[in-house]
Amino acid sequence: MPDFLQKKTHFEYDFLDARGCLNILTAEEKNELVSNKTDLEFSAGEIIVKRGVLVSNVLYVTEGLVKIEMSNDNKLYTVGLIQPHCFVGIVCCFAFKKFDFTATALENSKISFIDIDVFEKFIKTNPDFSLALIKHMSGVSNGLLHRMARLSQKNIDGALSILLLEFSEIYNSKSYTLPVLRKELADILGYSKESVINTLSKFNRERIIDVLDRNIEILDISRLKKISKLG
């Protein structure tokens, strides 16, 4: 079986994940999918797909970390961080003829571009796969709505705490290197660079985290989780 359909990851989901959907395909369909996909590598900071480009592929992250941004009133908003073994913007791929988002690699990343015609063929001919994909897309949509609603209600302390905890889950460690600069961190949260710098410094002084350049160590995860809920 193809490698990118087999790899396991530490992430836990409350809904059927992307790999679970693909594993529902028959052996023949998996082989057809692999013969109609292209694997491309992107460097950190490189745009993977730009808003307005025709949708000709379904994108699947096999390695790295990807940021999805959407435009509203000519301003970009980060709506999600895409981890390995996840589709990129799957909820938008079948809604429009052109991508309605921009995807950028936050780390060196490897992306599988799957021919959308082949994907649509499986949707039409494999009802179990179709149902699984619907459940997956519903779960993704629900998660995005909850994340945006949660962040919109937070001050900078609460929003930054949520993001630091998200990165901790992504890297499965309390110690990690931020994949973005302070300015990019601020853009993700929708706050100023100065607010982010000041809040990181405050968390550092209060020994909630230890900060050294882009290296983060969470020292008091209980306090950070409390701030993420109350901030």
Side-chain angles (χ1 to χ4, degrees):
M1 186 181 296
D3 179 61
F4 88 107
L5 296 181
Q6 284 184 315
K7 282 187 178 179
K8 293 186 177 180
T9 181
H10 62 268
F11 302 120
E12 297 295 334
Y13 298 85
D14 293 324
F15 59 95
L16 186 64
D17 63 13
R19 185 174 46 200
C21 289
L22 295 177
N23 281 333
I24 288 175
L25 295 172
T26 66
E28 182 179 350
E29 288 170 335
K30 289 174 183 176
N31 289 331
E32 184 177 357
L33 184 151
V34 170
S35 64
N36 286 278
K37 78 177 179 73
T38 301
D39 294 329
L40 298 177
E41 296 183 0
F42 295 85
S43 300
E46 191 173 357
I47 292 177
I48 297 168
V49 64
K50 195 170 185 178
R51 182 174 181 264
V53 173
L54 287 173
V55 178
S56 56
N57 295 278
V58 173
L59 278 58
Y60 182 92
V61 182
T62 57
E63 296 176 14
L65 185 64
V66 175
K67 173 179 67 174
I68 289 186
E69 294 174 304
M70 301 192 78
S71 178
N72 189 24
D73 295 330
N74 295 319
K75 185 176 180 181
L76 286 177
Y77 293 89
T78 298
V79 295
L81 301 177
I82 310 301
Q83 306 158 3
H85 306 291
C86 295
F87 295 119
V88 178
I90 188 67
V91 295
C92 302
C93 288
F94 302 100
F96 310 104
K97 292 184 178 179
K98 297 180 179 180
F99 284 111
D100 194 37
F101 60 86
T102 296
T104 306
L106 290 182
E107 301 176 340
N108 294 339
S109 301
K110 186 176 179 180
I111 312 295
S112 291
F113 286 70
I114 305 168
D115 190 315
I116 196 166
D117 291 335
V118 172
F119 215 82
E120 288 182 347
K121 173 187 174 183
F122 298 154
I123 292 172
K124 293 174 182 177
T125 59
N126 187 330
D128 290 336
F129 174 69
S130 301
L131 180 58
L133 190 62
I134 290 171
K135 290 180 178 180
H136 172 70
M137 292 170 70
S138 296
V140 170
S141 299
N142 186 66
L144 286 173
L145 290 172
H146 276 283
R147 184 180 187 275
M148 288 188 289
R150 189 182 182 201
L151 284 174
S152 68
Q153 299 170 349
K154 300 298 179 181
N155 57 28
I156 179 60
D157 288 26
L160 183 57
S161 297
I162 290 172
L163 191 55
L164 292 175
L165 289 168
E166 282 186 354
F167 281 127
S168 178
E169 291 178 3
I170 287 169
Y171 296 116
N172 196 29
S173 175
K174 293 181 182 178
S175 299
Y176 54 86
T177 300
L178 286 170
V180 293
L181 301 173
R182 301 294 192 266
K183 174 65 169 62
E184 296 169 297
L185 203 62
D187 290 341
I188 290 174
L189 294 173
Y191 282 91
S192 69
K193 176 182 175 181
E194 291 72 22
S195 296
V196 168
I197 291 173
N198 291 337
T199 305
L200 283 173
S201 297
K202 180 173 73 172
F203 287 175
N204 188 70
R205 289 195 307 271
E206 296 177 356
R207 306 310 295 156
I208 299 172
I209 62 174
D210 183 68
V211 182
L212 181 60
D213 193 20
R214 288 165 62 177
N215 297 316
I216 301 290
E217 181 181 0
I218 299 175
L219 303 176
D220 193 336
I221 196 166
S222 296
R223 286 183 66 190
L224 197 63
K225 286 182 178 179
K226 185 175 181 180
I227 294 170
S228 72
K229 293 177 181 179
L230 303 178

